[in-house]
Amino acid sequence: MQLDQPSVENMEYMLQELAEKLQVVNRSIMDAEDYNLEKYEDLKWMYDMVISKGRLSASETQAFINELASIRK
């Protein structure tokens, strides 16, 4: 998947991958419709960080979830 180009499909993919990696229970916060495409670069940065880190501590996971909440519409 080519994630360099902002698109709703790419946002959906990244959000689903983040939901899995962060073990998000409440998946409603990961709905692509709730995110503005203007925040694509922020979401991409978070996605890259989470994917590259491997295992995350509980506090890191919570920090990423909080950051996702802050960029929602």
Side-chain angles (χ1 to χ4, degrees), residues 19-34:
E20 289 296 319
K21 190 76 170 168
L22 299 173
Q23 300 176 354
V24 175
V25 175
N26 181 4
R27 297 290 173 105
S28 66
I29 67 166
M30 304 305 271
D31 188 355
E33 292 177 4
D34 293 336

Side-chain angles (χ1 to χ4, degrees), residues 10-11 47 62 72:
N10 286 347
M11 285 181 70
Y47 171 81
Q62 189 59 47
R72 287 178 76 201

Side-chain angles (χ1 to χ4, degrees), residues 22 53-64:
L22 299 173
K53 285 219 38 113
R55 288 188 65 100
L56 298 172
S57 69
S59 61
E60 288 173 320
T61 298
Q62 189 59 47
F64 277 110

